[in-house]
Each structure stands twice: as C-alpha cells, then as structure tokens.
C-alpha cells in the first residue's frame, strides 16, 4: 500500500461552487457507478446534500501518473461514511455508522485498496463507540469477508391496476393529491414517525426528500416535472403517509406508474394509498421497487394474483462491531439464555458471550476473548450474527446451510424465538 495516499475530508464549497478536491472525488464516484459526469449545478447540489447528510469522504490517490492518464487529483478509490439513527426493534433508536460510495478504479483493483479503506473505517467506527456499521451493496459477494451479514430484504413488485382492480377491504377516503414540493417539509416529519415503528429503518438522506418532492431526478441531477404526490391524513387530519410517483409512459401499450417513494405510518395509510394508486385512470400497472417482504399488499387485493413479485433482493448488510453493546441495545421478547461463540477475522467481535434475556432486555457477559465452540450453545461468524441481529434471518435455515452450528437441536428453535422482533426488519431506502 506504499504507492497510495489516503485522505479523509469533508465536502466543501468555495465561493458557492464545489472545491477542487470535492469535485474530483464526486466525479470519481460517478464513474465508479457508471453514472454520467455531473455538470456544475447538479454537482453543487450533490455537495450540499452530502453536507446536510454529514458525509465524510475518504479517497485513495496515486501521486504520479503517466502522461495522458487521469490527473492524480482524481481518486483511484472512494469511500464515504455518515451517521444516522437506526431502529433495532421496539422503537429503540441507536446511532449507527453508515457506509456508502465505495468504488475502486478497475486499473487499481486487487491491490488491497478496498481492504485498507474498509478496515481503517471500521476501526474508526469501533473506536468512536458505534455498536454496528451498515451498508447497502451493489454486489453480493464483496462484504461478507469484512463481517457484514444480510440483515434486511426488499421485494420488487408489480400490481395490475387495469379495470377490475379492487381492494378486499374498502380503505378510508382520507387521501388527497398534493403539490410534491410540500414533501420537502412533510416527508421528513412523516418518515420520523415511520422510523420509530419499523425495525431496520435508518435515518434518511437528503436525496430522498428531494426525489419525493420532484426536486431531483437521479438520472439528470435536475428537477423532475413528471413527479406527482398524494398524502394520507389520520383521523385528526394530520398527514401520516405519502406516495410520490410518476407515469413512465406507454410500455407495450401499458401505461405504468413508477413509485418513487411510499411511506405509511399506519396500516390504514398503506391501504388507502394503494387504493388511490389503483384508482388512477389510464394506468394499468404500478411498479414498486422497494416493498417489504412481509408487506400486506397481496392480502389487500381482492385478486391477489394481480400482484407479481419480480425479485427479492438483500437491502441492508449489518456488521456488528461491539457484540455486548449491540445485543443489549435491542429488545428481547422471550426470556432465555444463549451462549454464543463468535469468530471475527477482523477481531472486533470475536469471543464467547453469554446472553441473558429477561423483562424485554438483554444482558451480555463476555466469557472469553477467543471463540470456543465447546462452551457455546450456538457457534457462528460475526456476519451471521449480523444477519440474525434484527430477526430477519431464520436460524433454522442458517443451520441447514451450515452457516451456524448448534450444540443441541433445540437451540435453533430457541434462537429463532429469542431473536424475533415485533415484525420482519425492513428499510425503504438505501445509501
């Protein structure tokens, strides 16, 4: 790694425009995700959103390049992190370390850059006292080796809203269209309520607010005049749900609505917003790329076959950094005791831990600094503990796959009951 220089810095503006280092960094991120170069105004807006999110950038540079190659000021690898609250169940919100914008230029892969960036950043997060780190992955085979386990999932669904569409139970009529711009104020307020109710929900980035409001088209970096929006109101008249969407035009003679964002604090709001979407004239299909895996949508429909699941995808990957702190932060609905032997190639969470759950809370005692299967009820890697943490992965399935090992058959059933939360974890956003 002696050929590379690493710098961590905060995004900056100079005279209202992005400074040179920030500009080079963000253009490298764009290239890493195969996105077009940003023009000056969209680039400045992206910097402002990054500043509102509190993002910190890390970049790897080479100080010398051959003639005609990219300027050495352009990073060969990028990494970013920021902090948001995270629901670990029971309405418990903890501060989490979120990771994003991880790229390595193709000409500099397999030289240890990703490992250096990730291990240094995770060490920083552990020292800062975060119980875990979270990311969403563009590729599924990269992050387990750093201790991340799949923790939440989403579904891509399509709903046939052609004539005959109906809900099985008539929803309330408290939905009204709104100017999408009102969501600049209301979307954060509604999402804050939502986040307290759903395990796995993380604090949102500014880009979600601007997309819902029609102020940001991710493809162009500019406002999107196609965006429409509607609000649901509770019985007291306060907004408790919204949907932001646009008509994608005619595709094989089928007019399609693409949902940009849908947040419903209550089941009534969720049902009524879908009733609204199904009532829009001249449309035969609604596409939603981020439905929960336990969404009641198919049960809302009078004809459940009108909903098609196009794909189920992992969403959040969770990396536990401090086992006692993480396990004690979440609620425990079932009394019991489990001894866990945890392996961790990076060393943050290795050891033997005794978990005691009582009165809804967990207490964890470290019994040994090194894993010892002979002393454990359940033996697993830190990545699998991350998958179990929010109750989204089934210990029985992980056991059948050989990912975890139980000292006795009944331990698997006990672990399933103890790790379960009030509902399956879900996050309607990535980062």
């Amino acid at each position: 790694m002696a050929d590379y220089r690493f710098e961590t810095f905060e995004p900056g503006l100079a005279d209202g425009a992005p400074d040179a280092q920030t500009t080079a960094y963000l253009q490298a991120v764009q290239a890493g995700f195969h996105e077009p170069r940003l023009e000056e105004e969209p680039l400045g807006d992206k910097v402002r959103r990054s500043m509102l999110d509190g993002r910190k950038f890390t970049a790897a540079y080479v100080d010398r390049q051959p003639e005609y190659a990219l300027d050495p000021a352009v990073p060969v690898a990028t990494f970013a992190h920021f902090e948001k609250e995270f629901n670990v169940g029971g309405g418990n919100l903890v501060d989490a370390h979120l990771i994003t914008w991880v790229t390595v230029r193709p000409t500099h892969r397999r030289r240890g850059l990703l490992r250096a960036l990730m291990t240094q950043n995770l060490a920083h997060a552990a020292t800062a006292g975060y119980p875990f780190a979270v990311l969403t992955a563009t590729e599924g085979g990269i992050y387990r080796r750093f201790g991340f386990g799949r923790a939440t999932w989403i579904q891509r669904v399509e709903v046939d809203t052609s004539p005959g569409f109906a809900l099985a139970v008539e929803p309330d009529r408290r939905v009204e269209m709104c100017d999408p711009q009102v969501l600049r104020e209301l979307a954060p307020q509604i999402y804050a309520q939502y986040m307290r109710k759903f395990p796995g929900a993380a604090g949102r980035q500014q880009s979600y607010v601007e997309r819902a409001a029609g102020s940001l088209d991710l493809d162009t970096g500019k406002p999107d005049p196609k965006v429409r929006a509607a609000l649901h109101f509770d019985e007291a008249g306060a907004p408790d749900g919204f949907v932001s969407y646009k008509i994608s035009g005619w595709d094989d003679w089928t007019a399609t609505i693409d949902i940009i964002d849908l947040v419903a604090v209550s089941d009534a709001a969720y049902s009524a917003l879908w009733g609204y979407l199904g009532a829009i004239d001249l449309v035969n299909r609604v596409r939603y790329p981020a439905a929960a895996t336990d969404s009641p949508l198919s049960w809302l429909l009078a004809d459940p076959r009108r909903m098609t699941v196009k794909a189920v995808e992992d969403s959040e990957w969770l990396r536990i950094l401090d086992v006692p702190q993480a396990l004690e932060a979440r609620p425990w609905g079932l009394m019991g005791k489990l001894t866990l032997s945890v392996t961790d190639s990076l060393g943050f969470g290795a050891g033997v831990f005794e978990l005691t759950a009582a009165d809804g809370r967990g207490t964890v005692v470290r019994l040994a600094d090194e894993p010892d299967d002979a002393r454990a009820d359940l033996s697993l890697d830190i990545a699998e503990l991350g998958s179990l943490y929010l109750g989204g992965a089934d210990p029985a399935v992980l056991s059948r796959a050989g990912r975890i090992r139980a000292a006795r058959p009944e331990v698997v059933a006990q672990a399933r009951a103890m790790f379960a939360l009030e509902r399956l974890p879900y996050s309607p956003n990535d980062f």
Side-chain angles (χ1 to χ4, degrees), residues 317-382:
W317 293 62
L318 191 145
R319 205 288 180 207
I320 292 178
L321 297 169
D322 184 318
V323 172
Q325 186 184 0
L327 295 180
E328 290 179 356
R330 54 150 288 170
W332 297 88
L334 181 73
M335 295 179 61
K337 183 176 290 189
L338 277 175
T339 302
L340 308 173
S341 175
V342 183
T343 57
D344 185 345
S345 62
L346 300 185
F348 298 111
V352 179
F353 304 88
E354 183 182 74
L355 165 66
T356 303
D359 300 323
R361 301 183 61 182
T363 302
V364 179
V365 177
R366 182 188 289 270
L367 301 180
D369 292 334
E370 298 294 333
D372 183 353
D373 292 3
R375 300 178 62 179
D377 299 313
L378 205 62
S379 301
L380 68 172
D381 188 76
I382 195 72

Side-chain angles (χ1 to χ4, degrees), residues 12-31:
L13 298 168
D15 298 324
D19 62 42
Q21 187 176 30
T22 301
T23 297
Y25 175 94
L26 289 176
Q27 297 293 19
V29 170
Q30 292 291 110

Side-chain angles (χ1 to χ4, degrees), residues 1 35 49 57 71 76 144-145 149 192 200 234 248 272 283 293 337 356 375:
M1 301 305 297
E35 300 291 344
R49 289 192 297 271
F57 299 166
D71 192 306
V76 298
R144 188 183 180 279
R145 67 179 181 266
D234 65 18
S248 297
V283 172
T293 52
K337 183 176 290 189
T356 303
R375 300 178 62 179

